[in-house]
Amino acid sequence: MSVLKRMMRVSNRSLLAFIFFFSLSSSCLYFVYVAPGIDYPEGNNSSDYLVQTTTYLPENFTYSPYLPCPEKLPYMRGFLNVNVSEISFDEIHQLFSKDLDIEPGGHWRPKDCKPRWKVAVLIPFRNRHEHLPIFFLHLIPMLQKQRLEFAFYVIEQTGTQPFNRAMLFNVGFKEAMKDSVWDCVIFHDVDHLPENDRNYYGCGEMPRHFAAKLDKYMYILPYKEFFGGVSGLTVEQFKKINGFPNAFWGWGGEDDDLWNRVHYAGYNVTRPEGDLGKYKSIPHHHRGEVQFLGRYKLLRYSKERQYIDGLNNLIYTPKILVDRLYTNISVNLMPELAPIEEY
Ligand code: UDP
Ligand code: MN
């Protein structure tokens, strides 16, 4: 079944009822009619709140601290001007220093409404220092506009082993869970910047692939099962699939394995519609990174490996530093940390 059909099936199942939402703004009363076709029809935690709209709310919309934040907010205007020029950490610290609502670790929550999702953003990292400030400069205002609660976890690989993006995500997931109560987790490459602020970083009934259209792939999905760059799962979904595989050392394959895991667990993947899923990538060179040639073999055994390699066989010792804008989790990864019989 095509991705499009799957998405339609999800949205057809969306809201059956007509829901009216009353919002008292400064001088007038709004009626917002809610009909089928909404992007996130049945988020886990959205059943108790029904403030969902088909169109973006007007500028003079009045928030209520007692009501859930809507998903289609006035300041989400669509196309973003993405600036990839280098900026220093000092400069962005300075820029965000005026925002006293940002707590250590970059933890922010909206005050004018109840966040619909509590989102942990995980960023796998090694030696891309110039990318991080650009990333925060771009993502913080976007997530604030989306009225999500969020914090950032940068999981930094130390040691001499090949880069292991998937294992870093597993470590980040476990640490984020110890840190706070999150219900949605975004797995985010440091060099991917969303070009559209209507690409809503909440979760849903199905795992989501956010980075559907990359500039470096001429804004075309490279293949139907592509699940790389930026993806998101609820905490429950991620636990159910036993996280990422730990055995992918070097570049490639771990995102395809995640796709397999998601489907073996009975989920489908949704993607943002149209231009919402456009991303700009910060140009980078592959500095001595190795391709993971064993990926094809491992991918053939995705199903057999799913419940013996993942969140459940991983032991590690992290070093944690809480910065003002993110939590840095550094960890020396080695194959022995995720013991598994040969596959
Ligand atoms: N990454 C990193 N350092 C590395 C390799 C990868 O920080 O040496 C992280 C970074 O978040 C990056 C992601 O892993 O965006 C994916 O790696 P890469 O950008 O090399 O993959 P590609 O863009 O070629 O798919
Ligand atoms: Mn990249």
Side-chain angles (χ1 to χ4, degrees):
M1 193 189 298
S2 73
V3 172
L4 192 68
K5 277 188 192 154
R6 276 190 210 131
M7 288 194 323
M8 282 169 60
R9 206 175 59 184
V10 173
S11 69
N12 285 345
R13 263 194 276 134
S14 62
L15 299 179
L16 301 168
F18 300 143
I19 301 140
F20 292 92
F21 167 57
F22 303 84
S23 162
L24 270 176
S25 80
S26 44
S27 58
C28 54
L29 181 72
Y30 286 107
F31 275 78
V32 181
Y33 164 66
V34 179
I38 291 161
D39 223 2
Y40 290 93
E42 301 160 17
N44 266 1
N45 55 359
S46 56
S47 54
D48 49 338
Y49 339 116
L50 294 164
V51 190
Q52 302 223 40
T53 56
T54 45
T55 52
Y56 286 82
L57 291 160
E59 300 258 317
N60 56 356
F61 168 77
T62 309
Y63 298 90
S64 158
Y66 309 106
L67 285 175
C69 307
E71 282 179 11
K72 299 195 169 180
L73 289 151
Y75 297 107
M76 294 159 64
R77 295 213 178 91
F79 185 73
L80 291 170
N81 203 4
V82 184
N83 185 354
V84 293
S85 21
E86 276 193 30
I87 180 164
S88 71
F89 252 116
D90 283 351
E91 282 172 278
I92 61 157
H93 276 136
Q94 184 68 32
L95 276 170
F96 289 115
S97 65
K98 295 173 206 99
D99 190 339
L100 302 176
D101 292 338
I102 302 179
E103 291 169 25
H107 196 156
W108 185 86
R109 57 200 109 204
K111 285 200 170 125
D112 42 13
C113 52
K114 292 201 306 191
R116 192 171 284 273
W117 292 98
K118 300 181 201 314
V119 185
V121 182
L122 311 187
I123 305 136
F125 183 82
R126 176 155 82 181
N127 193 22
R128 295 267 175 103
H129 293 277
E130 64 283 12
H131 290 182
L132 268 185
I134 307 174
F135 180 84
F136 292 129
L137 181 65
H138 193 72
L139 262 287
I140 293 171
M142 183 180 115
L143 297 179
Q144 288 178 329
K145 279 193 265 177
Q146 297 187 348
R147 290 297 191 275
L148 294 160
E149 178 173 343
F150 61 88
F152 298 101
Y153 299 87
V154 172
I155 316 100
E156 180 172 20
Q157 184 173 339
T158 62
T160 54
Q161 294 287 337
F163 194 69
N164 190 329
R165 178 175 178 268
M167 202 182 202
L168 288 173
F169 278 141
N170 284 341
V171 169
F173 177 81
K174 288 182 177 228
E175 292 306 306
M177 291 305 114
K178 290 183 208 160
D179 189 42
S180 193
V181 182
W182 305 109
D183 49 28
C184 173
V185 185
I186 308 279
F187 303 95
H188 211 306
D189 280 4
V190 71
D191 55 8
H192 281 50
L193 304 175
E195 290 187 34
N196 196 310
D197 62 12
R198 293 183 169 179
N199 190 357
Y200 183 71
Y201 273 22
C203 281
E205 190 198 348
M206 290 292 167
R208 194 156 173 89
H209 182 225
F210 294 93
K213 295 185 173 177
L214 306 181
D215 62 345
K216 65 174 181 177
Y217 299 145
M218 296 181 314
Y219 297 116
I220 295 166
L221 192 69
Y223 51 98
K224 187 173 82 69
E225 299 83 6
F226 180 59
F227 204 21
V230 187
S231 53
L233 283 82
T234 63
V235 167
E236 195 190 323
Q237 289 159 1
F238 195 67
K239 283 184 178 162
K240 190 172 164 204
I241 66 166
N242 195 25
F244 272 90
N246 295 303
F248 286 69
W249 296 92
W251 184 92
E254 82 296 339
D255 47 356
D256 301 322
D257 199 61
L258 194 76
W259 173 276
N260 292 344
R261 287 178 174 223
V262 157
H263 287 87
Y264 291 136
Y267 297 117
N268 285 317
V269 169
T270 69
R271 291 196 175 96
E273 276 168 40
D275 283 350
L276 264 59
K278 279 189 168 183
Y279 279 76
K280 202 179 217 92
S281 28
I282 312 176
H284 63 82
H285 301 290
H286 285 271
R287 308 184 190 100
E289 290 161 47
V290 286
Q291 276 221 27
F292 177 50
L293 297 176
R295 62 185 185 273
Y296 306 105
K297 186 177 173 207
L298 288 191
L299 284 168
R300 278 202 297 278
Y301 293 102
S302 276
K303 192 170 194 165
E304 292 81 355
R305 300 184 74 269
Q306 174 154 10
Y307 296 104
I308 53 174
D309 180 34
L311 289 175
N312 66 354
N313 68 330
L314 175 63
I315 307 143
Y316 60 91
T317 318
K319 285 203 185 79
I320 298 172
L321 266 176
V322 183
D323 181 90
R324 207 179 113 65
L325 296 180
Y326 65 97
T327 298
N328 195 92
I329 302 159
S330 63
V331 61
N332 185 357
L333 297 184
M334 288 166 290
E336 302 83 77
L337 302 183
I340 180 175
E341 308 253 321
E342 192 55 41
Y343 248 111

